[in-house]
Short mmCIF file of all heavy atoms in Angstrom, two decimals:
data_model
loop_
_atom_site.label_atom_id
_atom_site.label_comp_id
_atom_site.label_asym_id
_atom_site.label_seq_id
_atom_site.Cartn_x
_atom_site.Cartn_y
_atom_site.Cartn_z
N PRO A 1 287.21 93.08 69.12
CA PRO A 1 287.41 91.67 69.21
C PRO A 1 288.73 91.51 70.03
O PRO A 1 289.64 92.26 70.04
CB PRO A 1 287.58 91.15 67.78
CG PRO A 1 287.00 92.25 66.96
CD PRO A 1 287.10 93.56 67.72
N LEU A 2 288.78 90.39 70.82
CA LEU A 2 289.92 90.05 71.58
C LEU A 2 291.20 89.86 70.84
O LEU A 2 292.31 89.95 71.46
CB LEU A 2 289.63 88.88 72.48
CG LEU A 2 288.65 89.04 73.60
CD1 LEU A 2 288.22 87.78 74.20
CD2 LEU A 2 289.16 89.99 74.73
N ASP A 3 291.17 89.68 69.50
CA ASP A 3 292.35 89.54 68.71
C ASP A 3 292.63 90.71 67.81
O ASP A 3 293.33 90.64 66.82
CB ASP A 3 292.34 88.22 67.91
CG ASP A 3 291.22 88.20 66.91
OD1 ASP A 3 290.30 89.14 66.97
OD2 ASP A 3 291.20 87.28 66.09
N TRP A 4 291.99 91.85 68.09
CA TRP A 4 292.04 93.00 67.18
C TRP A 4 293.51 93.55 67.17
O TRP A 4 294.18 93.51 68.28
CB TRP A 4 291.11 94.08 67.67
CG TRP A 4 290.67 95.00 66.55
CD1 TRP A 4 289.82 94.68 65.53
CD2 TRP A 4 291.18 96.38 66.42
NE1 TRP A 4 289.69 95.86 64.72
CE2 TRP A 4 290.51 96.84 65.27
CE3 TRP A 4 291.97 97.18 67.10
CZ2 TRP A 4 290.66 98.13 64.77
CZ3 TRP A 4 292.17 98.54 66.71
CH2 TRP A 4 291.51 98.95 65.49
N SER A 5 293.96 94.03 66.08
CA SER A 5 295.26 94.61 65.89
C SER A 5 296.39 93.62 66.05
O SER A 5 297.52 93.97 66.35
CB SER A 5 295.45 95.78 66.73
OG SER A 5 296.41 96.71 66.23
N GLY A 6 296.13 92.30 65.84
CA GLY A 6 297.19 91.37 65.79
C GLY A 6 297.68 90.91 67.20
O GLY A 6 298.75 90.32 67.31
N ILE A 7 296.89 91.13 68.27
CA ILE A 7 297.34 90.69 69.52
C ILE A 7 296.10 89.93 70.17
O ILE A 7 294.99 90.14 69.86
CB ILE A 7 297.73 91.79 70.51
CG1 ILE A 7 296.64 92.84 70.63
CG2 ILE A 7 299.09 92.38 70.10
CD1 ILE A 7 296.92 93.93 71.78
N ASP A 8 296.43 88.99 71.08
CA ASP A 8 295.35 88.31 71.83
C ASP A 8 295.52 88.90 73.21
O ASP A 8 296.63 88.79 73.91
CB ASP A 8 295.63 86.78 71.86
CG ASP A 8 294.65 86.03 72.70
OD1 ASP A 8 293.90 86.65 73.49
OD2 ASP A 8 294.61 84.77 72.66
N ARG A 9 294.44 89.62 73.64
CA ARG A 9 294.51 90.33 74.94
C ARG A 9 293.66 89.63 75.95
O ARG A 9 293.32 90.21 77.05
CB ARG A 9 294.21 91.78 74.81
CG ARG A 9 292.98 92.13 74.14
CD ARG A 9 292.79 93.65 74.11
NE ARG A 9 291.40 93.97 74.08
CZ ARG A 9 290.59 93.84 73.02
NH1 ARG A 9 291.08 93.44 71.91
NH2 ARG A 9 289.22 94.03 73.16
N ARG A 10 293.15 88.39 75.58
CA ARG A 10 292.24 87.76 76.48
C ARG A 10 292.71 87.61 77.89
O ARG A 10 292.11 87.98 78.83
CB ARG A 10 291.99 86.33 75.93
CG ARG A 10 290.93 85.50 76.58
CD ARG A 10 290.60 84.16 75.85
NE ARG A 10 289.76 84.60 74.68
CZ ARG A 10 290.28 84.55 73.38
NH1 ARG A 10 291.50 84.11 73.21
NH2 ARG A 10 289.53 84.81 72.40
N ALA A 11 294.01 87.10 78.03
CA ALA A 11 294.61 86.92 79.37
C ALA A 11 294.78 88.30 80.07
O ALA A 11 294.57 88.40 81.35
CB ALA A 11 295.93 86.26 79.33
N VAL A 12 295.15 89.31 79.36
CA VAL A 12 295.29 90.63 79.90
C VAL A 12 293.96 91.12 80.47
O VAL A 12 293.93 91.63 81.76
CB VAL A 12 295.83 91.63 78.92
CG1 VAL A 12 295.75 93.06 79.51
CG2 VAL A 12 297.25 91.31 78.62
N GLU A 13 292.88 90.94 79.77
CA GLU A 13 291.61 91.47 80.21
C GLU A 13 291.10 90.60 81.49
O GLU A 13 290.59 91.22 82.43
CB GLU A 13 290.60 91.50 79.15
CG GLU A 13 290.98 92.59 78.16
CD GLU A 13 289.85 92.90 77.14
OE1 GLU A 13 288.74 92.68 77.47
OE2 GLU A 13 290.15 93.37 76.03
N GLU A 14 291.23 89.29 81.37
CA GLU A 14 290.78 88.46 82.51
C GLU A 14 291.59 88.77 83.76
O GLU A 14 290.95 88.90 84.83
CB GLU A 14 290.92 86.99 82.05
CG GLU A 14 289.94 86.57 81.08
CD GLU A 14 290.22 85.10 80.64
OE1 GLU A 14 291.08 84.46 81.07
OE2 GLU A 14 289.57 84.64 79.67
N THR A 15 292.93 88.93 83.61
CA THR A 15 293.76 89.13 84.77
C THR A 15 293.53 90.57 85.27
O THR A 15 293.50 90.79 86.47
CB THR A 15 295.23 88.98 84.39
OG1 THR A 15 295.37 87.57 83.88
CG2 THR A 15 296.06 89.02 85.65
N ALA A 16 293.38 91.55 84.43
CA ALA A 16 293.12 92.89 84.84
C ALA A 16 291.78 93.00 85.65
O ALA A 16 291.81 93.78 86.68
CB ALA A 16 293.01 93.85 83.69
N ARG A 17 290.77 92.26 85.31
CA ARG A 17 289.45 92.25 86.02
C ARG A 17 289.75 91.64 87.42
O ARG A 17 289.28 92.17 88.35
CB ARG A 17 288.40 91.46 85.27
CG ARG A 17 287.80 92.15 84.11
CD ARG A 17 286.66 91.43 83.50
NE ARG A 17 286.28 92.08 82.31
CZ ARG A 17 286.73 91.87 81.13
NH1 ARG A 17 287.68 90.99 80.96
NH2 ARG A 17 286.37 92.57 80.01
N ARG A 18 290.51 90.53 87.52
CA ARG A 18 290.75 89.97 88.74
C ARG A 18 291.62 90.99 89.68
O ARG A 18 291.27 91.11 90.83
CB ARG A 18 291.60 88.68 88.60
CG ARG A 18 290.79 87.48 88.86
CD ARG A 18 291.54 86.12 88.96
NE ARG A 18 292.97 86.11 88.46
CZ ARG A 18 293.32 85.89 87.20
NH1 ARG A 18 292.47 85.58 86.24
NH2 ARG A 18 294.60 85.81 86.87
N HIS A 19 292.61 91.55 89.03
CA HIS A 19 293.48 92.48 89.79
C HIS A 19 292.62 93.67 90.25
O HIS A 19 292.81 94.17 91.37
CB HIS A 19 294.70 92.84 89.03
CG HIS A 19 295.68 91.75 88.93
ND1 HIS A 19 296.54 91.73 87.89
CD2 HIS A 19 295.91 90.69 89.65
CE1 HIS A 19 297.35 90.64 88.03
NE2 HIS A 19 296.96 90.03 89.16
N ARG A 20 291.81 94.15 89.37
CA ARG A 20 290.95 95.27 89.73
C ARG A 20 290.11 94.99 90.97
O ARG A 20 289.97 95.86 91.86
CB ARG A 20 290.07 95.59 88.51
CG ARG A 20 289.19 96.88 88.74
CD ARG A 20 287.71 96.46 88.97
NE ARG A 20 286.94 97.67 89.06
CZ ARG A 20 286.31 97.97 90.25
NH1 ARG A 20 286.57 97.37 91.36
NH2 ARG A 20 285.54 99.07 90.32
N GLU A 21 289.47 93.82 91.00
CA GLU A 21 288.66 93.41 92.12
C GLU A 21 289.48 93.28 93.44
O GLU A 21 288.99 93.71 94.48
CB GLU A 21 287.85 92.08 91.81
CG GLU A 21 286.77 92.33 90.75
CD GLU A 21 285.83 93.37 91.04
OE1 GLU A 21 285.34 93.54 92.23
OE2 GLU A 21 285.58 94.21 90.13
N ARG A 22 290.67 92.73 93.24
CA ARG A 22 291.56 92.42 94.41
C ARG A 22 291.96 93.81 95.10
O ARG A 22 291.84 93.96 96.27
CB ARG A 22 292.80 91.67 93.96
CG ARG A 22 293.79 91.45 95.12
CD ARG A 22 295.19 91.09 94.55
NE ARG A 22 295.43 89.73 94.67
CZ ARG A 22 296.47 89.15 94.05
NH1 ARG A 22 297.25 89.78 93.34
NH2 ARG A 22 296.70 87.88 94.28
N ILE A 23 292.49 94.73 94.18
CA ILE A 23 292.91 96.01 94.83
C ILE A 23 291.87 96.91 95.29
O ILE A 23 292.07 97.82 96.05
CB ILE A 23 293.91 96.70 93.83
CG1 ILE A 23 293.28 97.20 92.49
CG2 ILE A 23 295.07 95.82 93.51
CD1 ILE A 23 294.02 97.98 91.52
N ALA A 24 290.66 96.63 94.73
CA ALA A 24 289.46 97.53 95.19
C ALA A 24 289.16 97.24 96.70
O ALA A 24 288.65 98.10 97.38
CB ALA A 24 288.30 97.26 94.34
N VAL A 25 289.54 96.04 97.21
CA VAL A 25 289.17 95.75 98.55
C VAL A 25 290.35 95.43 99.44
O VAL A 25 290.25 95.21 100.55
CB VAL A 25 288.26 94.42 98.62
CG1 VAL A 25 286.93 94.66 97.86
CG2 VAL A 25 288.97 93.21 97.92
N SER A 26 291.61 95.49 98.86
CA SER A 26 292.81 95.18 99.71
C SER A 26 293.95 96.03 99.26
O SER A 26 294.05 96.48 98.12
CB SER A 26 293.14 93.65 99.43
OG SER A 26 294.48 93.40 99.96
N SER A 27 294.78 96.37 100.26
CA SER A 27 295.99 97.08 99.95
C SER A 27 297.22 96.15 99.70
O SER A 27 298.37 96.70 99.64
CB SER A 27 296.26 98.09 101.02
OG SER A 27 296.46 97.46 102.25
N ASP A 28 296.99 94.90 99.66
CA ASP A 28 298.11 94.02 99.32
C ASP A 28 298.62 94.21 97.90
O ASP A 28 297.85 94.27 96.97
CB ASP A 28 297.63 92.56 99.43
CG ASP A 28 297.29 92.18 100.81
OD1 ASP A 28 297.71 92.95 101.76
OD2 ASP A 28 296.49 91.24 101.05
N LYS A 29 299.92 94.21 97.74
CA LYS A 29 300.53 94.38 96.44
C LYS A 29 300.35 93.18 95.58
O LYS A 29 300.18 92.05 96.04
CB LYS A 29 302.09 94.56 96.59
CG LYS A 29 302.45 95.94 97.03
CD LYS A 29 303.70 96.30 96.33
CE LYS A 29 303.83 97.80 96.26
NZ LYS A 29 304.40 98.30 95.06
N VAL A 30 300.20 93.38 94.34
CA VAL A 30 300.04 92.29 93.33
C VAL A 30 301.55 91.92 92.87
O VAL A 30 302.27 92.71 92.37
CB VAL A 30 299.28 92.82 92.07
CG1 VAL A 30 299.26 91.64 91.05
CG2 VAL A 30 297.88 93.19 92.49
N PRO A 31 301.81 90.66 93.08
CA PRO A 31 303.23 90.25 92.67
C PRO A 31 303.38 90.30 91.20
O PRO A 31 302.49 90.04 90.42
CB PRO A 31 303.32 88.76 93.18
CG PRO A 31 302.17 88.53 94.12
CD PRO A 31 301.12 89.61 93.70
N GLU A 32 304.52 90.79 90.77
CA GLU A 32 304.79 90.99 89.34
C GLU A 32 304.71 89.74 88.51
O GLU A 32 304.36 89.76 87.37
CB GLU A 32 306.23 91.66 89.10
CG GLU A 32 306.21 93.12 89.36
CD GLU A 32 307.38 93.83 88.75
OE1 GLU A 32 307.75 93.55 87.63
OE2 GLU A 32 307.90 94.68 89.41
N ASN A 33 304.94 88.56 89.15
CA ASN A 33 304.83 87.32 88.43
C ASN A 33 303.26 87.02 88.07
O ASN A 33 303.09 86.10 87.33
CB ASN A 33 305.45 86.14 89.14
CG ASN A 33 304.77 85.74 90.40
OD1 ASN A 33 303.96 86.47 90.91
ND2 ASN A 33 305.15 84.67 91.07
N GLU A 34 302.42 87.75 88.55
CA GLU A 34 300.96 87.66 88.18
C GLU A 34 300.58 88.58 87.09
O GLU A 34 299.47 88.58 86.64
CB GLU A 34 300.09 87.95 89.45
CG GLU A 34 300.27 86.90 90.48
CD GLU A 34 299.17 87.15 91.57
OE1 GLU A 34 298.23 87.94 91.39
OE2 GLU A 34 299.34 86.59 92.66
#
């Protein structure tokens, strides 16, 4: 579950999927503020 072990990781998983897709096709760095 997205809240397992006392954390909400929903934003992490959604953002990680987006970043994964971005870096799979581009060599542009991901800004740390993202």
Side-chain angles (χ1 to χ4, degrees):
L2 289 169
D3 64 349
W4 204 75
S5 203
I7 56 171
D8 179 347
R9 55 178 210 283
R10 185 172 289 109
V12 168
E13 290 192 26
E14 289 172 3
T15 305
R17 282 186 189 87
R18 250 190 351 268
H19 288 155
R20 184 251 182 252
E21 292 305 315
R22 177 199 257 169
I23 65 174
V25 298
S26 171
S27 61
D28 293 341
K29 281 215 157 216
V30 175
E32 282 197 42
N33 66 350
E34 290 185 19

